Amino acid sequence: MDLVESYREELRFARKPLGRALLILLLVAAALLPWWGPRAWLTRASLVWLFAVGVIGQNLLIGYAGLISFGQAGFLAIGAYTFGHLRIIGVPFPLALAGAGGAAGLAGWLVGFPSLRLKGPYLAIATLGFGTATYQIFANVEWLSGGRAGLAIPPLQAPFGLLRDTWVYLVYYAIFLLFTGTAYNLISSYLGRAWVAVRDSDIAAESMGVSLARTKLLAFAISSFYTGVSGALMAQYLGHLEPQAFNISESMNFFVAVIVGGLASVEGSIFGAAFVVLVPALLGDLRWAVPVLFGSAILSVLILEPLGLAGLWLKTRLYFRLWPFR
Amino acid sequence: MPSLLQYALSGLSAGSLYAMVALGLVLIYRSTRVLNFAHADMATVGTFIAFSMIRSGVPFWLALSMAIVAGSAVAVVFYFAALVPAQRKGANHLGQVILTLGLALILQGLTVYQWGAEPDRFPFPLSDTAVFQVGPVFVSELSLGTLAAAATASLVLYLLTQKTRLGLAMRATSENLQAAQTLGIPTRGVLAFAWGVAAALAVVAGVFLAPVLLLDPFFMLDAMFKGLAAAVLGGLNSLPGAVLGGLLLGVAESLGGAYVSLEFKTSLAFILIVAVLLVRPEGLLGKEFQERV
Amino acid sequence: MALRFLAAGLLTLFLLGGEARAAPVPGVTDTEITIGITGPLSGPAAAWGTIALASEAYASYVNQQGGVHGRKLKLVLKDDGYNPGRAVANFNEMKDQVFAVMGTVGTAVLNANKDLVADAGLPLVYPLGNVQVFAKQPKEKVRTVFQAYPDYTDETEFLSQQAVKLEGVKKLGFFGQNDDYGKGGLEGVKKGLAKTDAKLVAEVFYEVTDRELGTQALKMKESGAEAVILYATATHAAGLVKEMAKVGYRPKLFAAFTLYDRDTMFRLLGDLWEGAYFDAAIGLRGEPAADKVIEIVTRIDPKLKGREGFCVQGVADVMMLVEGLKRAGRDLTREKFIAAMETIKDYDGGGLYPPFSFSPTRHHGLNAVRLMRAGKATDASVKQITPWQVFPGHF
Amino acid sequence: MTGSPAPAVLAVSSIETLYLDRIYALSGVSLELREREIFAVLGPNGAGKTTLLKTIAGLLRDQPKKGTIRLDGRHIERQQPEDVADAGVVFVAEDRGLFRELTVAENLELGMWGKPRRQAREDLERVHDLFPRLRERIDQQADSLSGGEQQMLAIGRSLLRRPRLLLLDEPSLGLTPEMSKLVFEALVQISQAGTTILLVEQNARLALRVATRAAILETGRVVLTGTPQELSEHPDVRDVYLGIGAAATEGKSFRLYRKRRRW
Amino acid sequence: MAGGVLLEVRDLTLRFGGITALGGIDLSIAEGETLAVIGPNGSGKTSLFNCVTGLYRPTSGSIALGGESLLGLSPDRVTARGVARTFQNLRLFLHMTVLDNLMLGRHLHFRKSLLDAALRLRGEELRHRARVEEIIEFLDLEAWRDSRVAGCSYGVQKRVEMGRALATEPRLLLLDEPVSGLTAEEKEEVSYWINEIRGRFGVTVLLVEHDLRVASRLSQRMVVLDRGLKLTEGTPEEVQRHPGVIRAYLGDQ
């Protein structure tokens, strides 16, 4: 039994000392992956981090605010291209990243307006339209997409004599931590509460003084900020941008990650991102079977555990907490 | 003017393809509130089965019937093996949608494994290139056939859902599952039937689309998204809406591509849809049940 | 507090002592040479995956013949689903574990990996994608790349001029994919027509995801083009031709080398394909050199039957690689391999492609097409119209 | 009370129903209903009354966790709702479970699912005689009916299944007093015609007026069973459910109740 | 009765298609008063609430709070003006804890700073937490503070709903059937609290109730609605003597 002595203490991030120690250990271990893990997997791990940022963003929208978007690829593209252009004119990495997030966030805020009127599948189609339109704009407007040759993005230079892979990993990991931490903070704030309220009963939320417009638009803006940053990281990762990289199947990947990981769960989003990145890679040698196994994995996860991987994780945690007595 | 007519007609023939896809999607949405992302892949599997049989000398109509049976079997198996257990575990609508996405991936993988990814031509009794010339306008045999097939499918579905006891049970089950259960209506069977019919519709759509779009494991993807958009445009729970939405979408796309911008024709169609939805959030003919305060 | 110190200590330790790297020659043992391929084995571009499968089959044929200098070829196939992001991860995993990478598919994949290839000193043999990706790189960054693909612009320049020359076309239409590939083609058409009195009357593009091409066909018809250049995948080109026929419009057809597979095109279009001109960059089924290798790979992997067009490409990749390995000798390193590749001169793979040559200043060893014309649908016959047109290499 | 007890139509014996595998909604409830009885279950909200009905109707998957439910001696616990319905149990939910988008006729038609045509037509006549209002509204959408008419439709529809046992959840909810009276009079007729009724009701006064026996359910347990007469005279029932006990003082002073243990 | 008119409703009419839900209702509440609106189901009580709180847009008529019109305001703006409500069939946020539900009632008064939220600066949170604790103590909810609302009993949920409305610090509190579905004992408790709210928080209460006994004991004045029209108005005693009321409403007794 742990006693909470003050309300301030209750608001802390990880309250129990043991939990905090384990968390730090895990975080440090992940940070040191370049020094103990197989080198070949480093880029794949970076891909997980950059995906996780986007999936968390998507989950804030679907899982917390209860709004659906099939247009994530559009925000991804806006983030990636903004980042690319900023980097090319010499803007430093962090600022370019913020610019990418900002541009995507602005787009998200605008796309949010239909969400004030549309629900469920109808909203999904409207956002799908946004994704398609964004794709077509980048595919057809040459000064945006860099024309035939595409947009080449200057690579990150590694300091302190680190290998570039290592440096990219560390930078991506740090950004991932920043955004994950922020997501935890947001969902435990007044805003997170308002999102859940709007999701559970928008009429009641409105009657309690929550502005639906403001809350939903913020959800879209923040979610697309995350997605935009994820797109920027993707751009840096690829070093080269072409509109084809942001088609509808990219949106679907995010969607699957959210559901497989678990709705309304930040840690679930991380599992989900790892799932969509790592499972196809692990199954890589099976070739034709990749989609089949990927699909079966989705089916079995959902049939066995509708709360997604996060639900599985929760059960495991519960099991170990009660372990000697069970 | 003749070219406007020709564009409109070309749009109608594309629209009737979208309408066929939309009908199946609407049927499933109406009865289970699930958007079926595996629709295209069920259609693809069925079409390939028909294709293989025709290739090995089976007459067209027999092959089509067998493919419909096979497609329905896939859907019914999926309903009992995946959806029912997931519902038992308390999966929400979104989870069920993702289940269909999982099925889509599995079917896609199996199709590529079995038939390869290279395109092929689908033998069809109606020719796509034999054309009738009416004044300045050309119509192909197949376009007429597709229009007729879409009209027939929607009529049959309309009669099924509005005029038969089974259709009544389908509507009842979709509206209030628990009440239907307590009245002794075999809801599992009814829903499985709905999935089967939707899959049959998907296969028919696939077989009509294949000669136009050429057959490969991904030939339905675009049509699937357009069909989905058409269904939403018409109202996701309205069968006539699906047909109307499909035709409108096809014509809008064609005219937009012809007179505004070919590069942005899909975007133009979506802008139209969003505009319609902002005025009528449940689609043109849709009617979502209102929540009461 | 203590934890923090510990972490800091560990970090310094790792920074000083870590990052050890080993492996004398990646992917080479006494008995094996490991070669990597990343390609679209799944997803909508999976048809291209056949190339990798054919390469695999031909490699096992090479092994049946005793391998190269006593070593067997071992091909590692990785799926990227045509997605450059996944290809980057695949390249990263392979770069220290395989000797060389070959036969990748897609310009985007090349663009995303070009720096990685240069930095890792990883030999990249016969990648299938736009030549300009490497042509625009500084010389020292393409040292390990050996390409033999035709340049899109050179090809369409030739193709459009042939249209004017052979058929007296005055109005030409262009149908292309809305990306680097199609736009590269368009550039060449414009260049080619500038030297003639014919005009380009239509530029019609499609998205890869489009399947319904009625509007495109009507646009083309309205322009009144007498001939259409097809710069598209087989599916889209066939779709357009069918839709054009549907509105009673049958212009002359001039197709890119990606449509060279006579079986596919006749299968998709039947008699609509009769009389179409098309480029070919390597041997076709029906020619002795091609028939020979097709027989070999379909015997090893029967699933490849019916996909002969891509098989030839897959074999061509392996042949080029094996020629380099043979010349490098038993004592194999990447440097030696690169040096050996640069000595290849006038090699024609037993007639599978025109003679090509690499040198320290020329890594785009082959840039050639020839014009063919489709004959009757009943026997899928074709005939050669022009001899090989060899353009200068781009890097 | 009758001299020789008729055989039990429904025998519920010590059932336990759990929510989320750990919260007890019913802990050891036993009931016995005899032929043509109207049995009323009273109790506060959250006591488990609706859960009891749903458990019997098979609507809660894999529930009850323990205990047995028998209809005419046949076990019906832990079965599919369709099978329970086939066995002769019909449940009319608190929301009445109408298909609001369908017409009255279509709703009734669905009640005859799987029944022989002839028999169904006779039954339909009988339902129309019992609730003449339904005949007037036959082609209207169920959604457009008033609350009372909806309740009549729900009960009428369930009668077409010729139920052995009718489960009613809050039939008077949202009905005007006149309507409630009409509905409850119909219930008496139905039971006299041979159907046993298990009734959950908030309005204790109304329920006790028509019931042959009644039970009080609190926090998942039956705390009192008896005839309406016995219950009406029980001081706690008078106090809490009928609001006519000593505690329900008139005037404008309020007492804040502290929980006390009763029964 | 203390104070001037707080809520003034004039000639309020609401039509859906051809159905008239409210036909020209007039009513006014003085500051500090408790007014009960009674009537059978479908008489337009809840429609009246929905019009006042901005969920429905009335066809015609006026609604003013303290002299300022509420017409055309969205529900959250109406709440910001000082009108809070409960719902007849409880609309709690079932996946949140009791505490979070009440904190959401404070949403209106939060100084909303995204930066604070993102950086986990929780000064505001603590400040409002103090106010919420007062309500928790008042409504005896200590034991359920951290329970999910979905798992609480109906009686507790009713209290949370009331507490949440109270947390918005309303000038006017609209209670939609606060005692429906409760036992006689719980009814007494809730009645006690409603009475206390007026005393302790100085809130004016507008009450919709089915239960005539509770309504007449809680309110100073009553308005009777029947099929969207005002049947009568007056003190509880006057209303109970009105023949129309006896016929339409008390037919049972």
Side-chain angles (χ1 to χ4, degrees):
Chain A
M1 190 66 198
D2 60 317
L3 281 175
V4 185
E5 288 179 5
S6 71
Y7 298 140
R8 183 176 292 283
E9 190 185 331
E10 201 179 309
L11 294 176
R12 286 250 194 87
F13 195 86
R15 238 174 48 217
K16 293 179 198 164
L18 183 66
R20 201 175 308 170
L22 276 176
L23 187 66
I24 289 176
L25 206 67
L26 200 68
L27 296 183
V28 170
L32 296 180
L33 178 75
W35 290 276
W36 60 264
R39 172 144 295 278
W41 280 76
L42 218 50
T43 28
R44 196 91 55 193
S46 307
L47 202 55
V48 172
W49 299 140
L50 87 84
F51 247 81
V53 172
V55 177
I56 290 173
Q58 167 93 319
N59 209 341
L60 288 180
L61 192 69
I62 300 188
Y64 287 94
L67 298 163
I68 221 166
S69 164
F70 280 178
Q72 295 308 93
F75 300 121
L76 218 55
I78 289 174
Y81 277 101
T82 311
F83 176 83
H85 283 293
L86 290 177
R87 285 290 279 159
I88 286 167
I89 60 170
V91 176
F93 180 80
L95 282 181
L97 206 59
L106 185 69
W109 182 72
L110 291 174
V111 171
F113 278 98
S115 77
L116 304 179
R117 242 175 108 65
L118 304 180
K119 285 191 174 147
Y122 299 93
L123 180 59
I125 290 299
T127 52
L128 181 68
F130 162 76
T132 309
T134 314
Y135 169 81
Q136 295 207 318
I137 286 170
F138 281 115
N140 290 304
V141 182
E142 295 216 340
W143 61 268
L144 274 177
S145 59
R148 256 194 71 190
L151 212 58
I153 293 160
L156 272 180
Q157 296 305 329
F160 320 122
L162 289 170
L163 286 179
R164 189 184 288 159
D165 293 354
T166 308
W167 178 240
V168 166
Y169 176 86
L170 290 177
V171 168
Y172 280 29
Y173 179 60
I175 293 167
F176 158 77
L177 283 187
L178 176 71
F179 277 84
T180 310
T182 307
Y184 273 114
N185 291 348
L186 283 177
I187 57 176
S188 69
S189 73
Y190 72 91
L191 191 59
R193 206 154 42 217
W195 282 340
V196 175
V198 168
R199 181 195 69 192
D200 281 2
S201 167
D202 50 353
I203 290 172
E206 218 180 359
S207 299
M208 287 305 120
V210 176
S211 160
L212 286 191
R214 198 188 137 94
T215 311
K216 287 185 176 181
L217 291 181
L218 260 180
F220 258 105
I222 291 174
S223 155
S224 15
F225 189 98
Y226 271 71
T227 314
V229 167
S230 178
L233 295 178
M234 176 86 86
Q236 184 72 72
Y237 179 90
L238 293 177
H240 186 272
L241 285 180
E242 278 171 63
Q244 266 69 24
F246 305 100
N247 56 22
I248 173 87
S249 72
E250 211 58 41
S251 297
M252 284 298 145
N253 257 342
F254 278 89
F255 198 66
V256 169
V258 168
I259 302 294
V260 170
L263 283 169
S265 158
V266 174
E267 54 276 20
S269 307
I270 303 167
F271 297 141
F275 181 88
V276 297
V277 172
L278 297 183
V279 169
L282 285 171
L283 302 178
D285 290 341
L286 295 161
R287 294 166 208 174
W288 66 270
V290 170
V292 178
L293 291 171
F294 203 42
S296 319
I298 292 173
L299 286 191
S300 36
V301 164
L302 280 171
I303 292 172
L304 298 175
E305 183 50 67
L307 295 178
L309 291 174
L312 221 59
W313 156 254
L314 249 162
K315 279 191 179 160
T316 321
R317 228 170 42 179
L318 210 65
Y319 179 79
F320 280 112
R321 194 181 292 163
L322 304 169
W323 176 53
F325 310 105
R326 194 148 183 164
Chain B
M1 216 47 206
S3 75
L4 173 72
L5 270 180
Q6 184 71 62
Y7 275 114
L9 196 73
S10 155
L12 273 184
S13 90
S16 58
L17 299 180
Y18 302 157
M20 299 256 283
V21 177
L23 277 173
L25 288 169
V26 165
L27 188 68
I28 288 298
Y29 185 81
R30 263 177 71 107
S31 46
T32 58
R33 300 283 136 127
V34 169
L35 274 184
N36 179 17
F37 276 97
H39 195 74
D41 295 279
M42 296 192 315
T44 309
V45 169
T47 311
F48 266 106
I49 290 173
F51 176 70
S52 292
M53 285 200 280
I54 295 171
R55 271 290 160 86
S56 59
V58 178
F60 177 81
W61 294 107
L62 183 64
L64 178 61
S65 328
M66 304 279 277
I68 286 174
V69 171
S72 307
V74 169
V76 171
V77 167
F78 171 70
Y79 174 73
F80 281 113
L83 276 181
V84 170
Q87 282 165 354
R88 277 196 194 153
K89 289 269 183 173
N92 55 7
H93 286 312
L94 215 51
Q96 295 178 33
V97 170
I98 301 299
L99 278 180
T100 66
L101 211 55
L103 175 69
L105 285 172
I106 293 177
L107 292 179
Q108 195 183 89
L110 291 177
T111 313
V112 173
Y113 175 72
Q114 181 59 39
W115 287 284
E118 294 203 22
D120 218 320
R121 184 168 51 160
F122 189 87
F124 199 81
L126 299 174
S127 162
D128 194 17
T129 47
V131 292
F132 306 106
Q133 189 169 5
V134 184
V137 178
F138 292 87
V139 198
S140 88
E141 245 176 60
L142 184 59
S143 298
L144 287 178
T146 317
L147 270 170
T152 316
S154 46
L155 183 70
V156 168
L157 269 190
Y158 176 80
L159 292 178
L160 173 71
T161 55
Q162 301 295 326
K163 301 288 171 204
T164 67
R165 256 166 89 100
L166 194 58
L168 190 62
M170 273 165 73
R171 283 189 288 156
T173 307
S174 76
E175 201 198 307
N176 192 337
L177 180 70
Q178 194 178 46
Q181 282 176 335
T182 52
L183 286 178
I185 296 170
T187 54
R188 287 274 149 73
V190 168
L191 291 182
F193 177 76
W195 275 91
V197 172
L201 215 58
V203 175
V204 173
V207 166
F208 272 87
L209 261 69
V212 183
L213 305 181
L214 299 172
L215 181 64
D216 71 31
F218 307 93
F219 84 106
M220 287 276 291
L221 280 190
D222 186 47
M224 162 81 192
F225 278 107
K226 298 282 170 58
L228 189 57
V232 165
L233 175 64
L236 256 177
N237 44 16
S238 159
L239 290 168
V243 176
L244 180 67
L247 296 180
L248 265 180
L249 181 65
V251 172
E253 232 187 5
S254 178
L255 294 184
Y259 296 105
V260 189
S261 155
L262 185 61
E263 283 80 12
F264 289 100
K265 72 169 188 170
T266 315
S267 303
L268 288 169
F270 271 111
I271 289 171
L272 172 82
I273 292 176
V274 173
V276 168
L277 288 183
L278 286 178
V279 181
R280 281 194 57 89
E282 315 90 24
L284 288 172
L285 304 182
K287 196 174 72 181
E288 291 279 338
F289 214 66
Q290 288 293 321
E291 194 188 8
R292 298 195 168 182
V293 185
Chain C
M1 247 349 185
L3 248 179
R4 206 171 298 170
F5 276 115
L6 187 66
L10 278 175
L11 190 69
T12 356
L13 208 72
F14 277 122
L15 282 175
L16 295 174
E19 305 209 350
R21 306 184 58 188
V25 183
V28 180
T29 67
D30 268 357
T31 55
E32 255 182 12
I33 308 171
T34 310
I35 305 292
I37 299 182
T38 168
L41 300 175
S42 68
W48 299 93
T50 306
I51 296 171
L53 300 179
S55 295
E56 199 180 31
Y58 193 70
S60 60
Y61 169 73
V62 172
N63 290 340
Q64 283 168 14
Q65 307 295 309
V68 186
H69 295 303
R71 292 191 181 97
K72 305 273 187 206
L73 290 179
K74 183 184 165 202
L75 261 57
V76 176
L77 269 59
K78 284 186 181 289
D79 178 27
D80 58 38
Y82 212 54
N83 174 325
R86 281 165 68 183
V88 169
N90 288 344
F91 262 91
N92 256 298
E93 274 170 36
M94 293 191 298
K95 70 182 178 194
D96 297 327
Q97 289 167 0
V98 303
F99 179 73
V101 173
M102 71 171 198
T104 60
V105 178
T107 302
V109 170
L110 296 184
N111 259 321
N113 286 295
K114 57 183 190 288
D115 289 321
L116 184 150
V117 166
D119 294 349
L122 175 70
L124 178 59
V125 179
Y126 215 150
L128 308 176
N130 194 347
V131 172
Q132 295 300 326
V133 170
F134 296 107
K136 285 182 181 142
Q137 289 278 83
K139 270 273 177 246
E140 70 276 9
K141 296 193 83 172
V142 296
R143 231 174 45 80
T144 60
V145 181
F146 296 92
Q147 201 166 15
Y149 216 51
D151 178 68
Y152 302 152
T153 308
D154 290 341
E155 187 210 357
T156 41
E157 189 179 344
F158 166 71
L159 200 59
S160 55
Q161 282 174 341
Q162 289 298 316
V164 176
K165 194 172 140 203
L166 295 175
E167 295 284 345
V169 171
K170 291 274 178 279
K171 290 195 222 159
L172 195 63
F174 179 83
F175 175 68
Q177 189 158 309
N178 191 14
D179 62 3
D180 163 77
Y181 171 60
K183 287 179 180 154
L186 180 62
E187 198 176 297
V189 172
K190 284 179 175 164
K191 235 160 123 186
L193 291 187
K195 296 169 193 159
T196 69
D197 56 351
K199 277 206 306 270
L200 182 65
V201 292
E203 301 170 18
V204 175
F205 287 96
Y206 70 93
E207 299 294 340
V208 191
T209 48
D210 283 347
R211 284 306 276 263
E212 209 287 314
L213 299 169
T215 318
Q216 275 88 346
L218 282 172
K219 272 262 147 133
M220 195 61 88
K221 185 187 183 187
E222 276 198 337
S223 77
E226 300 151 22
V228 173
I229 301 234
L230 299 171
Y231 226 65
T233 68
T235 315
H236 293 103
L240 183 86
V241 172
K242 264 156 54 70
E243 290 291 335
M244 290 194 300
K246 216 172 172 177
V247 288
Y249 174 50
R250 298 194 180 191
K252 300 251 178 298
L253 301 173
F254 287 82
F257 72 91
T258 42
L259 306 183
Y260 89 108
D261 183 21
R262 51 198 261 188
D263 300 307
T264 303
M265 294 316 288
F266 274 120
R267 193 171 68 225
L268 294 181
L269 284 170
D271 53 5
L272 288 177
W273 191 241
E274 285 178 5
Y277 293 89
F278 62 93
D279 281 345
I282 46 174
L284 272 72
R285 186 184 67 74
E287 296 171 343
D291 282 349
K292 193 177 138 208
V293 298
I294 288 171
E295 192 273 321
I296 293 171
V297 294
T298 49
R299 196 180 58 227
I300 292 174
D301 184 354
K303 281 200 75 105
L304 291 172
K305 272 188 189 128
R307 315 182 193 176
E308 286 81 3
F310 289 125
C311 285
V312 178
Q313 183 66 58
V315 174
D317 299 357
V318 181
M319 274 189 171
M320 185 193 279
L321 176 90
V322 169
E323 180 64 17
L325 288 174
K326 275 186 185 152
R327 287 170 185 243
R330 167 76 194 170
D331 188 14
L332 190 61
T333 66
R334 281 177 175 176
E335 281 308 315
K336 282 198 179 138
F337 173 73
I338 290 164
M341 286 294 286
E342 286 173 346
T343 66
I344 294 179
K345 197 158 167 44
D346 291 335
Y347 176 74
D348 71 351
L352 205 53
Y353 24 56
F356 66 86
S357 311
F358 292 112
S359 78
T361 53
R362 176 171 169 151
H363 279 221
H364 184 198
L366 179 63
N367 186 11
V369 292
R370 55 189 163 146
L371 192 66
M372 315 284 292
R373 187 168 192 189
K376 283 283 162 218
T378 42
D379 58 353
S381 63
V382 295
K383 64 171 189 275
Q384 186 162 345
I385 302 292
T386 72
W388 286 106
Q389 300 290 309
V390 181
F391 316 111
H394 283 269
F395 62 93
Chain D
M1 301 234 102
T2 46
S4 61
V9 172
L10 177 77
V12 174
S13 101
S14 16
I15 55 167
E16 293 184 4
T17 297
L18 284 82
Y19 275 126
L20 303 170
D21 286 344
R22 55 204 160 82
I23 301 162
Y24 276 86
L26 296 177
S27 34
V29 171
S30 301
L31 294 172
E32 257 192 28
L33 270 68
R34 298 190 200 106
E35 192 87 39
R36 294 172 198 229
E37 243 189 327
I38 299 183
F39 194 98
V41 176
L42 313 175
N45 248 300
K49 292 175 307 208
T50 302
T51 309
L52 173 65
L53 295 190
K54 285 190 173 176
T55 307
I56 296 171
L59 289 169
L60 304 175
R61 190 166 302 287
D62 298 331
Q63 302 291 350
K65 267 270 135 40
K66 289 192 183 135
T68 60
I69 304 169
R70 275 172 296 177
L71 186 76
D72 293 322
R74 264 176 54 210
H75 285 274
I76 56 163
E77 73 272 5
R78 290 181 287 276
Q79 292 200 357
Q80 295 289 326
E82 290 93 335
D83 299 336
V84 177
D86 279 343
V89 178
V90 179
F91 170 61
V92 179
E94 187 178 336
D95 66 1
R96 292 164 200 140
L98 294 180
F99 305 114
R100 293 161 165 272
E101 290 172 57
L102 306 185
T103 65
V104 171
E106 284 171 332
N107 267 287
L108 290 172
E109 165 111 25
L110 285 165
M112 298 184 266
W113 188 269
K115 297 279 168 193
R117 278 274 153 188
R118 279 263 309 272
Q119 174 198 325
R121 197 149 305 146
E122 286 165 20
D123 286 354
L124 191 60
E125 275 310 307
R126 223 168 288 149
V127 168
H128 281 317
D129 291 344
L130 188 63
F131 299 117
R133 279 190 193 225
L134 291 183
R135 191 175 287 152
E136 297 161 25
R137 305 258 189 271
I138 197 77
D139 283 324
Q140 282 188 13
Q141 269 205 349
D143 196 36
S144 68
L145 300 184
S146 79
E149 288 162 351
Q150 289 190 7
Q151 189 61 269
M152 288 175 182
L153 176 56
I155 293 174
R157 189 181 65 179
S158 63
L159 289 179
L160 294 173
R161 295 204 52 76
R162 293 208 170 165
R164 189 75 182 118
L165 174 69
L166 192 56
L167 306 174
L168 295 175
D169 196 358
E170 306 267 358
S172 80
L173 193 78
L175 267 54
T176 59
E178 306 153 61
M179 266 301 176
S180 310
K181 213 185 280 175
L182 274 176
V183 168
F184 273 75
E185 277 162 12
L187 290 187
V188 175
Q189 286 184 42
I190 293 167
S191 82
Q192 279 161 4
T195 301
T196 309
I197 297 175
L198 178 59
L199 172 77
V200 154
E201 189 49 74
Q202 190 67 233
N203 190 336
R205 208 179 302 199
L206 202 55
L208 291 180
R209 201 173 296 165
V210 297
T212 54
R213 278 191 312 142
I216 297 208
L217 199 65
E218 281 201 2
T219 59
R221 285 167 213 281
V222 174
V223 291
L224 257 182
T225 319
T227 61
Q229 189 67 24
E230 288 161 6
L231 287 183
S232 307
E233 282 161 13
H234 196 286
D236 283 339
V237 176
R238 287 173 70 82
D239 182 358
V240 177
Y241 293 103
L242 301 173
I244 46 179
T249 46
E250 292 296 325
K252 300 223 159 150
S253 64
F254 296 94
R255 269 174 49 200
L256 180 58
Y257 277 77
R258 288 285 153 218
K259 299 270 181 223
R260 66 183 166 96
R261 226 177 147 65
R262 300 187 300 262
W263 296 299
Chain E
M1 288 297 99
V5 172
L6 181 63
L7 181 76
E8 176 95 52
V9 175
R10 280 281 156 265
D11 194 27
L12 188 69
T13 305
L14 177 70
R15 286 196 196 93
F16 297 112
I19 304 157
T20 303
L22 292 171
I25 303 287
D26 290 318
L27 65 89
S28 65
I29 310 172
E31 198 105 39
E33 190 187 18
T34 299
L35 177 76
V37 177
I38 63 167
N41 270 56
S43 60
K45 293 172 300 186
T46 299
S47 294
L48 174 68
F49 266 28
N50 288 342
C51 285
V52 173
T53 51
L55 284 174
Y56 289 170
R57 185 153 299 188
T59 315
S60 65
S62 71
I63 304 169
L65 185 80
E68 287 174 61
S69 172
L70 294 180
L71 282 185
L73 294 183
S74 61
D76 57 299
R77 305 242 117 247
V78 173
T79 310
R81 293 281 179 86
V83 180
R85 74 172 289 179
T86 64
F87 291 89
Q88 186 181 345
N89 1 305
L90 299 191
R91 281 175 178 272
L92 288 166
F93 309 118
L94 294 175
H95 298 290
M96 298 207 259
T97 62
V98 169
L99 181 66
D100 276 334
N101 265 281
L102 295 176
M103 287 297 278
L104 194 94
R106 301 294 304 169
H107 186 84
L108 197 58
H109 301 283
F110 264 80
R111 191 175 54 84
K112 295 178 190 65
S113 153
L114 258 187
L115 196 66
D116 286 6
L119 297 180
R120 202 171 264 270
L121 300 177
R122 295 286 187 260
E124 279 289 291
E125 194 91 2
L126 292 170
R127 197 162 69 78
H128 292 291
R129 178 67 185 268
R131 297 303 302 274
V132 165
E133 285 301 324
E134 283 176 33
I135 294 169
I136 287 183
E137 189 247 309
F138 171 61
L139 291 175
D140 251 349
L141 284 168
E142 287 92 340
W144 289 278
R145 195 187 277 123
D146 292 320
S147 330
R148 267 188 172 207
V149 169
C152 293
S153 72
Y154 189 72
V156 171
Q157 291 189 357
K158 277 237 146 170
R159 265 188 270 165
V160 175
E161 174 114 347
M162 211 150 75
R164 190 179 63 177
L166 215 48
T168 65
E169 292 184 27
R171 293 161 75 189
L172 175 66
L173 181 61
L174 309 181
L175 298 174
D176 200 348
E177 309 225 353
V179 302
S180 76
L182 299 180
T183 61
E185 186 180 21
E186 286 170 326
K187 280 183 186 176
E188 285 293 316
E189 278 180 8
V190 170
S191 307
Y192 164 82
W193 276 316
I194 293 175
N195 224 23
E196 277 290 293
I197 286 170
R198 213 156 55 91
R200 187 155 156 188
F201 294 88
V203 177
T204 310
V205 177
L206 176 59
L207 187 72
V208 155
E209 194 40 77
H210 203 67
D211 187 323
L212 190 64
R213 287 155 60 92
V214 172
S216 44
R217 282 165 61 197
L218 279 172
S219 60
Q220 282 89 45
R221 270 188 324 123
M222 289 169 96
V223 170
V224 185
L225 295 187
D226 188 24
R227 280 166 224 178
L229 298 171
K230 190 158 88 176
L231 196 64
T232 181
E233 179 178 356
T235 63
E237 292 75 24
E238 289 165 8
V239 164
Q240 283 180 11
R241 278 198 299 272
H242 190 280
V245 175
I246 294 170
R247 202 175 46 250
Y249 199 76
L250 306 174
D252 185 33
Q253 308 244 316

